[in-house]
Amino acid sequence: MNNEIYLDGNATTCVLPAAAAAAFEIMGQRYGNPSSAHGTGLRAKVVLDGARQCAMRLLGVGAGRLMFNSGATEGIQTAVLSALVAVRERQARGEPVGTLLLYGATEHKAVPEALAHWNRLLGTNLTLTALPVDGDGLHDLVVLRELAPDAAMICTMAANNETGVVSNLAGIAAAMQDSGSGALWMVDCVQALGKLSLDLAATRIDYAPFSGHKLHAPKGVGMLYVRAGAPFTPLIMGGGQETGQRSGTENMAGIAALGVVLAALERGDTFPSHAQLHGYRARLADALRAALPGVVFNNPFDKALPTTINFSVPGVSSRELMDVFDAAQVRVSAGSACSASKAAPSYVLDAMGVPLWRSAGAIRMSFGALVDEATIATACARIAHCGAALRAGGLIADEHAAPEPDDGLLQLGVDGECGWMVLDAASRSAIVIDPLPDMTARITAIVRGHNYRVLALVATSGADHAPLIKALGAHYDDQALTDGYGWPAITAHRLTLGDGAEVNAIAIGSQVLAQTAGGEGTRAYLLGTADGARLPATNVRFAFAAQPLAPSPVTGPHTLLCPTRDTSNQLCAGRAEIKATPDADLQLDCGSLDAFLLAHPDALVIDVREPSEFAATVMPAPGGRVAHSVPLGRLVERASVWLHGDSCQPLVFICRSGNRSMKAAQCLRRLGHTGSYSLTGGLALAPLPLAA
Ligand code: PLP
């Protein structure tokens, strides 16, 4: 067992060892084509028939059909195609048929997408209508009763993939019955398999798709149940496999493995009981409550599968939570797996009427049915560790010890735009340059969290800072009079720049910030150390401008040019034009890193992830070195120090996936540091140590 705690079972699960062995056996020993009449084929066919018989008993298929396919997305297509072909035939015969395609508002995207696709392709011209759910995520049966008589097809799920909420299938069936609906009914049973008992033929469900990989079988295998007498049209035609219902030589490795999982379910000796699963969830929920103050659970536990928790934490985004859990080797997801890379609000939680901050910040923690006591115990310990890391990183308040305040230059980036904060920890004063509205929460958290006084909020081109000023409240030194750029009309200092111009300046700690002309209609700001009443070019560490400042006598050879637009992720630039280095020349992979570090004992390993990710890390740094934490937003400050020092000391940047570290290494190379490298693929590809 490795060090990873996998709590994303609703996205996919590991393959049951006995199922993997069965797949292996069928690929090596029983590799025959089950359609072949010879002995090798017959040995494979026994496995195919055995898996089907087991599935039919387990799901109560009765006289209905049960075909193997590639997974639930295919099963959904087949069900929708079958239903809509029947609708089209009725339309052609002039028979009455509903006009609505009704689907639960919290369905997996495969359902509305398939409905829209086949409705368009078949020209059935039905109206797609989302059936609302209540605050618990249960289908609104009153609306269903109203709409069902006019529905041609109704699609609902047995259990939701984001919340685990178990649908009231009996209530839906009754609403369809009472309202006299003749609609065909598909129930997506993907998340229910192995967790809810199903007796399909005893219901009026017409179609039920299943997927193997959600229940410890491999990806690429699934099943579709079709009620006896329900319309059926094959999606794939060819050699007539699966009695002509789904052509194509069967995925025997997948089917053999799924057969083993189904047999284990039938025997009831492999997976934990419901009571055990409820106990595991209660322990995870307690651990979350203890570690994350104010945590809110978005799914009603009493109405959901015991294997799913969906939660949000006030003031912490789902991206931040995901990154911290990932650093602690705890795999969770933000919303559904398909949209996990974008931290968009969850449409499932939106449909439940959950407030936006919760739906945009939601984390799903779900465990597979194979979870055991030891995994839950480690998961709870890691959750506590993540809570501590979020406190250390300042993302949640710590009533016992405030984290060290930041000092120096901090870059705040949002989608190619960047703002900057100049922070002086000793005097607890700050100046903000080009804040964007999206940065308000972050700036306010830093300022309030460490009790900074904001001396000025300035812009390179005109900007409205009123909302930020309001959010900062008494922390902002309100200047009665400012120019159109937020610069105070009266400043205590007058300084002479390298070009002889006399300008106003604000002192912050031992440094000064001076305002000068930028490009057309804009202002630039210079940060450095004054020499009496002068700010010589060589003393200017950073220059902030809307467009890169042309070399001029006010900046020196070591001045770093800090953009306020950074669409190409440059972070900052130097005055000298240095040719871009091909990415391949900067990359070190995990295999070559050890040798590199042995050959360069003076190399520094720099971790550019956020402080909370760094604090949450449970893996030793690659190459056995101690990594130094320099989050990407602090890189420019540190770059100015590295460049002044021994600029040949090798720097190996690391991060989660190799993305941020590549930006850092490229930035240093462009600034003339010839020994900067990035760990390819990031820590995600580093070998996982074995669990203690
Ligand atoms: N339906 C639900 C509820 C799911 O959770 C998923 C998988 O995420 C699917 C359908 C699609 O399943 P498959 O990956 O087998 O195509």
Side-chain angles (χ1 to χ4, degrees):
M1 194 178 78
N2 66 32
N3 200 20
E4 179 178 83
I5 297 295
Y6 185 80
L7 295 179
D8 202 13
N10 288 9
T12 198
T13 54
C14 66
V15 176
L16 185 71
F24 197 71
E25 199 217 343
I26 205 128
M27 290 188 289
Q29 312 299 317
R30 292 181 179 243
Y31 55 84
N33 184 331
S35 301
S36 300
H38 49 61
T40 313
L42 291 178
R43 278 158 58 79
K45 189 166 183 304
V46 170
V47 175
L48 176 64
D49 291 345
R52 195 186 324 275
Q53 291 311 320
C54 181
M56 290 181 76
R57 285 191 305 273
L58 194 71
L59 304 175
V61 165
R65 308 165 191 244
L66 195 282
M67 68 207 71
F68 289 109
N69 59 18
S70 68
T73 302
E74 182 186 328
I76 291 166
Q77 308 305 308
T78 310
V80 171
L81 172 72
S82 298
L84 292 194
V85 165
V87 166
R88 196 167 66 161
E89 284 167 3
R90 297 192 70 171
Q91 287 172 334
R93 290 196 297 269
E95 291 171 13
V97 60
T99 58
L100 301 181
L101 288 174
L102 203 54
Y103 63 94
T106 57
E107 287 298 304
H108 187 277
K109 283 293 173 209
V111 171
E113 290 296 325
L115 288 171
H117 179 70
W118 292 107
N119 188 37
R120 193 171 52 241
L121 276 188
L122 296 173
T124 34
N125 255 328
L126 305 179
T127 307
L128 266 74
T129 306
L131 175 64
V133 295
D134 66 15
D136 283 341
L138 291 168
H139 300 96
D140 186 328
L141 298 184
V142 176
V143 178
L144 179 62
R145 262 171 230 274
E146 268 168 41
L147 298 180
D150 204 19
M153 183 176 197
I154 296 176
C155 302
T156 57
M157 59 199 335
N160 185 270
N161 45 308
E162 287 191 31
T163 60
V165 167
V166 177
S167 300
N168 175 3
L169 293 181
I172 295 171
M176 290 173 68
Q177 184 72 27
D178 299 350
S179 62
S181 170
L184 292 161
W185 185 20
M186 179 180 80
V187 177
D188 175 344
C189 289
V190 168
Q191 299 291 344
L193 184 61
K195 297 168 195 159
L196 298 175
S197 63
L198 296 163
D199 188 8
L200 293 168
T203 70
R204 68 169 281 177
I205 296 169
D206 294 292
Y207 309 99
F210 295 90
S211 177
H213 72 104
K214 308 286 182 175
L215 192 79
H216 302 290
K219 291 156 194 65
V221 65
M223 304 178 285
L224 176 67
Y225 158 80
V226 181
R227 190 174 57 78
F232 179 76
T233 297
L235 177 70
I236 301 177
M237 291 302 293
Q241 287 86 351
E242 297 288 292
T243 52
Q245 301 170 122
R246 199 278 187 181
S247 287
T249 303
E250 290 86 348
N251 167 7
M252 285 306 300
I255 293 169
L258 180 56
V260 167
V261 173
L262 297 172
L265 274 178
E266 201 178 26
R267 288 194 312 274
D269 61 359
T270 306
F271 300 107
S273 67
H274 255 236
Q276 275 170 307
L277 294 175
H278 276 281
Y280 292 157
R281 179 174 61 187
R283 282 169 60 192
L284 289 174
D286 284 346
L288 289 168
R289 282 188 199 99
L292 308 171
V295 64
V296 186
F297 296 107
N298 298 315
N299 58 336
F301 287 3
D302 57 337
K303 298 190 176 88
L305 294 175
T307 44
T308 307
I309 298 178
N310 191 306
F311 66 91
S312 310
V313 181
V316 192
S317 71
S318 57
R319 183 77 263 168
E320 288 163 334
L321 288 166
M322 279 270 300
D323 287 346
V324 166
F325 278 109
D326 211 35
Q329 305 290 330
V330 178
R331 312 299 183 216
V332 295
S333 76
S336 64
C338 310
S339 57
S341 56
K342 319 166 208 146
S346 149
Y347 69 91
V348 170
L349 298 181
D350 285 349
M352 290 163 64
V354 162
L356 184 64
W357 76 265
R358 276 166 56 192
S359 105
I363 291 290
R364 176 184 70 185
M365 193 172 256
S366 54
F367 45 91
L370 262 190
V371 73
D372 59 10
E373 177 63 38
T375 307
I376 295 297
T378 311
C380 291
R382 297 270 178 92
I383 289 170
H385 178 65
C386 288
L390 288 161
R391 281 179 189 79
L395 289 177
I396 55 180
D398 187 343
E399 63 265 22
H400 304 300
E404 284 293 297
D406 279 332
D407 189 56
L409 189 62
L410 177 64
Q411 186 172 23
L412 309 161
V414 174
D415 293 336
E417 312 273 351
C418 39
W420 300 84
M421 287 183 88
V422 182
L423 298 160
D424 182 61
S427 64
R428 285 291 202 280
S429 39
I431 297 175
V432 189
I433 303 168
D434 278 338
L436 287 168
D438 283 352
M439 298 167 188
T440 301
R442 171 111 194 261
I443 295 171
T444 315
I446 294 170
V447 168
R448 289 181 179 271
H450 297 291
N451 205 18
Y452 281 104
R453 228 177 86 231
V454 178
L455 307 180
L457 290 178
V458 299
T460 51
S461 24
D464 173 17
H465 296 149
L468 178 56
I469 291 174
K470 189 161 171 247
L472 291 174
H475 289 270
Y476 175 60
D477 256 11
D478 208 352
Q479 310 288 335
L481 226 52
T482 59
D483 66 7
Y485 302 89
W487 185 257
I490 304 162
T491 55
H493 300 269
R494 295 283 289 167
L495 285 179
T496 307
L497 302 183
D499 62 355
E502 218 183 285
V503 297
N504 287 328
I506 304 171
I508 173 156
S510 58
Q511 301 192 89
V512 284
L513 185 79
Q515 188 193 48
T516 178
E520 223 175 290
T522 67
R523 292 287 180 274
Y525 300 92
L526 307 174
L527 183 68
T529 38
D531 185 357
R534 291 172 52 244
L535 180 58
T538 45
N539 285 16
V540 176
R541 287 180 70 202
F542 306 106
F544 307 90
Q547 300 103 26
L549 278 187
S552 84
V554 299
T555 56
H558 294 302
T559 307
L560 298 185
L561 308 179
C562 304
T564 56
R565 277 196 68 77
D566 186 23
T567 39
S568 47
N569 289 313
Q570 300 230 320
L571 305 175
C572 72
R575 282 212 337 184
E577 281 278 322
I578 293 179
K579 254 188 40 219
T581 315
D583 280 0
D585 294 356
L586 305 184
Q587 286 173 332
L588 285 176
D589 59 27
C590 289
S592 52
L593 181 66
D594 285 352
F596 180 89
L597 292 177
L598 262 181
H600 300 89
D602 60 333
L604 288 181
V605 176
I606 313 286
D607 188 327
V608 291
R609 295 173 302 161
E610 290 304 304
S612 48
E613 292 173 78
F614 184 74
T617 302
V618 290
M619 286 201 345
R625 291 288 174 89
V626 174
H628 301 265
S629 170
V630 180
L632 213 53
R634 307 281 297 150
L635 191 86
V636 176
E637 165 77 35
R638 289 301 290 269
S640 117
V641 176
W642 286 321
L643 291 165
H644 268 83
D646 171 9
S647 62
C648 295
Q649 179 175 26
L651 301 171
V652 180
F653 293 101
I654 59 174
C655 68
R656 190 172 72 93
S657 69
N659 206 351
R660 287 173 281 182
S661 58
M662 180 50 94
K663 283 180 198 162
Q666 278 293 10
C667 172
L668 265 294
R669 288 279 178 128
R670 272 196 325 276
L671 297 177
H673 190 288
T674 50
S676 49
Y677 298 89
S678 161
L679 178 67
T680 314
L683 296 169
L685 299 192
L688 291 171
L690 294 181

